[in-house]
Amino acid sequence: MIIYVARRLGQSVFLLFGAITIVFLALRVIPGDPASLILGSQATEAEREALRADLGLADPLLVQYVRHLGEVVRLDFGESWRLGGDAFAGVLERLPATLTLAGYALALTLLVGFPLGVYAARHTGRFADRLVNYLALTGQALPSFWVGIMLVLVFARTLDILPATADGTPLALVLPAFTLALPFLGWLARLVRNGTLEELGKDYVRTARSKGLSEQVVFNVHVLRNTLTPVVTVLGLVLGNFIADAVIIEQVFAWPGIGSLMIESIVNRDYAVAEAAILLIAVFYIGLNLLVDVLYFWLDPRITLETV
Amino acid sequence: MVSTHSRRDFLKISSISLAGAYLAACSVGGGDQGAAEQALRAAFAQPINDLDPHGPSSVDESTLLAGRLIYDTLIRRDGDKLVPHVATSWEQPDPNTWVFALRDDVTFHDGSKLTARDVKASLERVKDAGTAQSALWTSVSTVDAPDDTTLRVTTSEPLGTMPVNLTLMFILPAAKMNDEGFFRKPIGSGPFRVEAFTPSDELRLAAVDYWNGTPKLNRVTLPFIPETSSQITALRTGDLNVLWPIPPDQLRELEGLDEIRLETVPSYAYYFTWFNCGREPFTDPRVRRAMWRAVDVAGTVRNLFGDGAELMTAPIPSTVFGHAPQQPYEHDPDAAKRDLAAAGLGDGFRTSLMWFSDTGPLADALAQAMISDWAKVGVTVEPQNLEKAEWLRRLNAKEFDMDLQINTVTTGDADFTLGRLYDSQADRMGYRNPRLDGILRRAHQDSDRRTRGRLYGQACKIIWDDAVGIFPAALISTYGLRSTVEGFEPVPSNQPDLRGVTLAT
């Protein structure tokens, strides 16, 4: 077990290294650089060259890369030219807002998606099942930015019962969290429904029933536990997706998270902030995957190191 | 169905997560909902990224807007006049020397006194910052503060724009301005002090006892809302008290509402379409003029922008000092074709137009309208809608045929735009005219307002007649105000003075 976790940790470090390298290269390959954005269109080429040298952008790419790796290890990405001050601190400052939104959306996904799936499974083929299935598909199919704007139009502009943007009130969380959760909520409901149905057809369920256990016990104790394994896998990925999807949602709802920060920093070639933000998202994604793998053992004792 | 037991769990879990969300949301936005307080929520369309008024954002309208509320300047703009502010008076004993007399009753928010040493340190800081505003101060050679209330500035060549440039030069406390992290909660001497600042998200300000009129508001919050429809919704629902500038195509969303008042003022921002005058066939002024005549500028501006823009009559907006109205180019496709034929382009030609979508409101539509008008005279224009950084790179490298963009005359003085863009040495778009260079240089150096006005009038005519670019529309800033907002004065700079604003209850 410990060996397995250690091996996965090693893989994660390798993945992170890859992510850092790709981000570093991608940002420098795309045209335009911080020097011209800082100086605007009025500066001369000589002034831009001088600033490039100042910022260390005139050095060979390999030198910049090695220096960047050093920065990453020390978690010091340098100054953000656009926001002033330490870039990593600037990103960390925005992190709680994104995590709050993702956490709340996850809760919403679980609390609505899971019961819906179970309900549909227990009423297979009936109207409720078909309705859940239909709604789930619709939720998955609608693009988030459109849903966000529509929700603002209906609940903020027309009905005026919820704020359109992050104005500091707890109600402001409702629309963005729902928009973020919607596609995954449907996904989860369908996954739980299908997983539950599959489990219900298995031998152990027949055995449990023939032992004379009540349907409640069969379902709540045996079946649900076994449907949890795929659900946990999905949730790990979903949480990672929440953080990535938040980029769009944060823009629509003026939510002060790292998503909107990242977009702006890329557009403005604020390398330090972009690198810090993307690295943080990568760490989350990789960390969650690791967590999911470890959770398997706990949830399903049948899984052994040989099977993974 | 779910058992009673798990239903109770469900409720327990949901109430916990709701409470958690409540706490979290409070910490995200601050959750400050003062009741009897005069608290204004005002949103400007661009984010405030940096409160350093001398740094990389020094000529961004959003940083200037924040600067006007937090800091002081020596001279202030009041309408089209320049009026004393921290400087009570100034004189020019010789063309290269300026002497300013300063007030001695101005204090910073930490209680320390503002002296000429602070002004000296600030001016030297902005001059050496290597940022967009530094370019205004290159000819400053020495700054002296012989005593607390006297500032002496000498220049290597006469700088007639000294007073107007000083309206952008914010004064920081010399003792603290270089401290680590100073600009996250900077100290100024302006009417408001910084309570909290999250870059490109929200700035929260509180009023101070100000030497030049204490603000009537207690608090001002300036949130940034990226999505236009969310901005409009927030204003309509009362989440915001003020929003500006409102894009022309969004005006109808706010028109005819009792609780919302729209106020407009012509701004310092305008569109131009430059020709790369160093590239064939735009080296020939006849081709450039024909391209202008081919476009139905008046119709396009009216149809696209409505009340959101005015047709330009000079290469700078009518609000800017130095504007002199010129003879308009009539829309005449036939004449355009004849002129192109006379220039040897009777069969038309292929060229390209570059821009980036966020340069200003309706940029894509404006580009498309011009391109379709050019197609009617046989000129095929490839649309090049670029990403901002790539656009800037190509603009700087002069890798373009035509360039459409917004430009802002930040100081409200023609020198800021004409003097810096059309000079042969600046070489922005390949246009070279020694006569224009001479006029612009004299206007830059002269400090007599009437002489400068006359010189810029000549410059406007040359640039217009030579069709260095097409100058279609100057934007009109529309401010959306809740009807409870009183005493708000819209300004062309997009940097309103909030001292006189009150909220009716």
Side-chain angles (χ1 to χ4, degrees):
Chain A
M1 177 72 188
I2 292 165
I3 296 169
Y4 170 69
V5 173
R7 200 175 71 207
R8 288 298 321 263
L9 271 175
Q11 285 171 353
S12 302
V13 170
F14 184 73
L15 269 175
L16 265 182
F17 178 74
I20 292 164
T21 308
I22 291 172
V23 169
F24 174 86
L25 283 176
L27 279 173
R28 278 154 188 85
V29 163
I30 49 175
D33 72 326
S36 37
L37 282 150
I38 291 171
L39 293 171
S41 58
Q42 322 276 357
T44 62
E45 190 51 41
E47 286 167 339
R48 279 193 294 276
E49 283 303 330
L51 186 59
R52 262 182 218 124
D54 257 13
L55 296 172
L57 296 168
D59 300 335
L61 211 55
L62 193 67
V63 175
Q64 291 187 47
Y65 178 64
V66 172
R67 192 168 51 217
H68 177 58
L69 287 182
E71 288 174 353
V72 173
V73 173
R74 280 177 281 122
L75 284 181
D76 171 16
F77 292 79
E79 294 254 312
S80 156
W81 76 258
R82 209 168 130 271
L83 309 175
D86 184 58
F88 192 64
V91 173
L92 280 185
E93 185 184 33
R94 298 289 204 101
L95 189 64
T98 297
L99 289 184
T100 304
L101 185 59
Y104 198 63
L106 184 72
L108 204 65
T109 308
L110 269 177
L111 293 176
V112 179
F114 200 85
L116 271 185
V118 171
Y119 187 79
R122 303 202 76 178
H123 298 81
T124 353
R126 285 197 246 151
F127 175 71
D129 178 29
R130 288 206 304 275
L131 186 69
V132 167
N133 205 27
Y134 176 73
L135 288 179
L137 271 177
T138 315
Q140 276 179 270
L142 297 174
S144 295
F145 68 91
W146 183 84
V147 172
I149 291 172
M150 286 304 127
L151 289 176
V152 166
L153 281 181
V154 174
F155 291 98
R157 195 179 289 191
T158 311
L159 300 176
D160 196 7
I161 48 174
L162 290 169
T165 57
D167 63 352
T169 60
L171 281 178
L173 205 60
V174 177
L175 291 183
F178 181 74
T179 312
L180 193 52
L182 187 64
F184 301 103
L185 203 150
W187 190 20
L188 184 70
R190 278 156 46 88
L191 186 87
V192 169
R193 175 195 176 271
N194 296 342
T196 311
L197 284 180
E198 199 187 312
E199 292 297 323
L200 279 173
K202 285 194 176 161
D203 290 347
Y204 75 89
V205 175
R206 206 178 48 203
T207 311
R209 279 181 181 145
S210 61
K211 273 201 302 188
L213 292 180
S214 75
E215 196 59 15
Q216 295 281 6
V217 176
V218 171
F219 200 81
N220 292 333
V221 176
H222 297 285
V223 176
L224 281 190
R225 170 108 193 238
N226 282 311
T227 38
L228 276 181
T229 316
V231 167
V232 167
T233 321
V234 167
L235 284 183
L237 298 175
V238 160
L239 196 59
N241 276 328
F242 277 158
I243 293 171
D245 272 28
V247 171
I248 298 162
I249 311 284
E250 286 175 6
Q251 201 75 5
V252 173
F253 293 98
W255 195 260
I258 53 177
S260 41
L261 188 70
M262 190 174 76
I263 295 268
E264 283 289 306
S265 63
I266 294 172
V267 169
N268 289 291
R269 304 292 187 268
D270 195 350
Y271 293 162
V273 173
E275 281 159 354
I278 299 173
L279 181 75
L280 209 60
I281 291 178
V283 166
F284 261 92
Y285 211 96
I286 293 170
L288 283 168
N289 273 303
L290 191 66
L291 189 70
V292 164
D293 286 351
V294 174
L295 272 180
Y296 278 163
F297 288 101
W298 181 68
L299 282 170
D300 192 343
R302 285 172 306 176
I303 296 180
T304 60
L305 285 181
E306 283 73 51
T307 49
V308 295
Chain B
M1 268 304 293
V2 204
S3 70
T4 344
H5 179 67
S6 56
R7 190 179 299 138
R8 198 182 305 133
D9 278 351
F10 177 92
L11 288 173
K12 200 161 70 190
I13 293 167
S14 20
S15 60
I16 290 168
S17 51
L18 275 170
Y22 176 79
L23 292 173
C26 284
S27 69
V28 165
D32 196 310
Q33 302 287 315
E37 267 196 338
Q38 289 271 310
L40 185 82
R41 276 178 69 83
F44 179 53
Q46 291 156 29
I48 302 167
N49 296 318
D50 190 354
L51 295 180
D52 181 352
H54 308 152
S57 307
S58 58
V59 295
D60 285 7
E61 282 186 331
S62 50
T63 291
L64 289 167
L65 157 72
R68 299 248 171 259
L69 303 171
I70 303 166
Y71 313 108
D72 272 324
T73 51
L74 286 185
I75 297 171
R76 203 165 59 86
R77 175 180 284 282
D78 184 10
D80 43 359
K81 285 195 296 290
L82 299 178
V83 297
H85 198 52
V86 171
T88 51
S89 64
W90 53 93
E91 54 176 9
Q92 219 181 342
D94 65 74
N96 276 320
T97 309
W98 293 79
V99 180
F100 298 87
L102 272 51
R103 304 181 67 93
D104 66 353
D105 60 346
V106 181
T107 54
F108 287 109
H109 300 150
D110 63 352
S112 61
K113 209 167 152 179
L114 186 154
T115 70
R117 280 189 304 279
D118 297 304
V119 185
K120 169 181 153 70
S122 301
L123 186 52
E124 286 172 345
R125 184 170 182 270
V126 67
K127 175 180 150 53
D128 296 333
T131 56
Q133 209 195 119
S134 310
L136 297 178
W137 304 108
T138 43
S139 57
V140 168
S141 40
T142 59
V143 188
D144 293 309
D147 60 61
D148 278 3
T149 56
T150 310
L151 185 83
R152 177 188 295 268
V153 183
T154 59
T155 54
S156 55
E157 54 171 23
L159 185 63
T161 50
M162 174 74 80
V164 72
N165 288 356
L166 281 172
T167 64
L168 296 190
M169 210 291 289
F170 293 107
I171 303 162
L172 304 175
K176 294 194 170 160
M177 66 187 185
N178 292 319
D179 289 357
E180 180 79 25
F182 176 78
F183 292 104
R184 293 310 295 273
K185 205 175 175 183
I187 292 162
S189 57
F192 294 90
R193 65 179 168 79
V194 179
E195 270 202 328
F197 174 54
T198 316
S200 72
D201 175 46
E202 189 174 79
L203 172 63
R204 279 193 283 145
L205 301 169
V208 298
D209 275 332
Y210 186 52
W211 62 270
N212 193 14
T214 296
K216 293 170 182 161
L217 294 164
N218 303 103
R219 274 164 215 288
V220 174
T221 304
L222 297 157
F224 170 59
I225 305 174
E227 177 68 31
T228 311
S229 72
S230 305
Q231 293 170 3
I232 302 282
T233 301
L235 180 67
R236 283 176 58 143
T237 57
D239 214 16
L240 286 176
N241 304 110
V242 186
L243 169 67
W244 82 99
I246 293 162
D249 55 339
Q250 296 288 328
L251 286 175
R252 64 192 150 79
E253 301 284 339
L254 295 169
E255 278 162 357
L257 298 173
D258 286 343
E259 67 278 15
I260 294 189
R261 193 167 77 241
L262 295 175
E263 292 189 11
T264 58
V265 64
S267 75
Y268 293 151
Y270 65 105
Y271 270 109
F272 65 60
T273 303
W274 269 350
F275 298 107
N276 186 339
C277 301
R279 247 189 211 189
E280 296 287 348
F282 300 122
T283 44
D284 186 342
R286 288 176 301 176
V287 177
R288 304 196 297 256
R289 285 193 285 261
M291 291 291 278
W292 196 335
R293 241 172 240 138
V295 176
D296 181 8
V297 178
T300 303
V301 171
R302 193 175 52 242
N303 292 337
L304 280 182
F305 296 92
D307 295 332
E310 62 179 17
L311 191 63
M312 289 180 80
T313 52
I316 40 176
S318 60
T319 43
V320 170
F321 173 76
H323 172 272
Q326 305 298 318
Q327 185 70 30
Y329 283 78
E330 296 297 335
H331 177 221
D332 190 343
D334 295 326
K337 271 191 213 163
R338 279 197 303 277
D339 290 352
L340 286 177
L345 294 166
D347 298 330
F349 61 98
R350 299 182 75 85
T351 184
S352 64
L353 173 71
M354 72 162 190
W355 79 96
F356 70 99
S357 292
D358 286 340
T359 186
L362 300 166
D364 295 352
L366 181 59
Q368 294 299 345
M370 296 178 97
I371 289 171
S372 68
D373 278 348
W374 285 321
K376 289 173 196 156
V377 297
V379 179
T380 309
V381 179
E382 182 199 334
Q384 297 178 337
N385 188 350
L386 306 173
E387 201 233 3
K388 181 183 170 189
E390 166 67 353
W391 167 83
L392 188 57
R393 185 193 69 76
R394 286 181 47 182
L395 183 72
N396 285 334
K398 281 192 285 160
E399 279 175 30
F400 64 94
D401 294 317
M402 291 187 284
D403 158 55
L404 171 70
Q405 67 172 95
I406 280 274
N407 187 269
T408 304
V409 192
T410 309
T411 56
D413 186 291
D415 175 70
F416 192 86
T417 301
L418 300 188
R420 303 204 294 164
L421 297 180
Y422 296 91
D423 181 84
S424 301
Q425 276 187 341
D427 193 19
R428 305 299 314 165
M429 77 315 270
Y431 179 76
R432 285 160 194 278
N433 184 336
R435 196 175 141 239
L436 180 64
D437 291 347
I439 293 170
L440 292 174
R441 206 151 303 151
R442 270 161 58 211
H444 178 72
Q445 297 181 349
D446 208 301
S447 43
D448 180 62
R449 208 172 150 81
R450 286 200 13 232
T451 315
R452 296 187 68 231
R454 189 171 45 76
L455 290 167
Y456 283 125
Q458 294 170 11
C460 283
K461 183 165 170 53
I462 294 173
I463 294 166
W464 186 268
D465 289 350
D466 268 359
V468 178
I470 298 173
F471 302 91
L475 298 183
I476 292 176
S477 272
T478 302
Y479 290 69
L481 307 163
R482 300 285 300 177
S483 49
T484 46
V485 178
E486 289 165 5
F488 187 98
E489 268 184 65
V491 288
S493 62
N494 278 332
Q495 302 151 28
D497 177 355
L498 300 177
R499 279 175 301 169
V501 176
T502 53
L503 290 169
T505 40

